[in-house]
Amino acid sequence: ILNSSADLSRQRIYLGFGSEEGQTQEANVWLLHQDSQLSGIYLGKGAEDSVYFFGQGDGHNERAWRTRFPIALSWAFGFELPVEPY
């Protein structure tokens, strides 16, 4: 992404991350840092909008993705969720 010359203007980026994505606490901290930097890189490359969602206790698995998916959809398409996903 850093070396890409792709035009990201008019692009909207959703990033989701859980506090238990890594194998260790150190890995979780590193991943969180990398994901937050990635969000900044997208915006710096001209992305119109970026949202970064952090799920406390979420791992890197289908349960966490299923929980966060409605959040991503509501952000992407601009509608309110009927219930809180968490």
Side-chain angles (χ1 to χ4, degrees):
I1 294 169
L2 283 173
N3 297 326
S4 171
S5 62
D7 179 14
L8 295 180
S9 60
R10 298 178 31 154
Q11 298 297 312
R12 299 177 70 223
I13 310 294
Y14 171 90
L15 297 169
F17 178 81
S19 64
E20 305 301 318
E21 296 262 352
Q23 298 290 328
T24 65
Q25 188 59 32
E26 292 80 19
N28 288 331
V29 169
W30 183 84
L31 287 167
L32 177 60
H33 177 72
Q34 295 300 310
D35 279 0
S36 64
Q37 281 192 328
L38 183 58
S39 178
I41 290 168
Y42 281 129
L43 291 172
K45 293 264 186 187
E48 181 177 293
D49 191 11
S50 175
V51 67
Y52 182 81
F53 184 84
F54 180 76
Q56 183 63 41
D58 285 357
H60 191 76
N61 55 50
E62 290 81 2
R63 183 198 146 293
W65 303 328
R66 180 181 61 238
T67 303
R68 292 194 306 252
F69 187 66
I71 298 166
L73 283 179
S74 69
W75 174 79
F77 295 104
F79 60 84
E80 294 293 323
L81 294 174
V83 294
E84 288 293 320
Y86 277 90

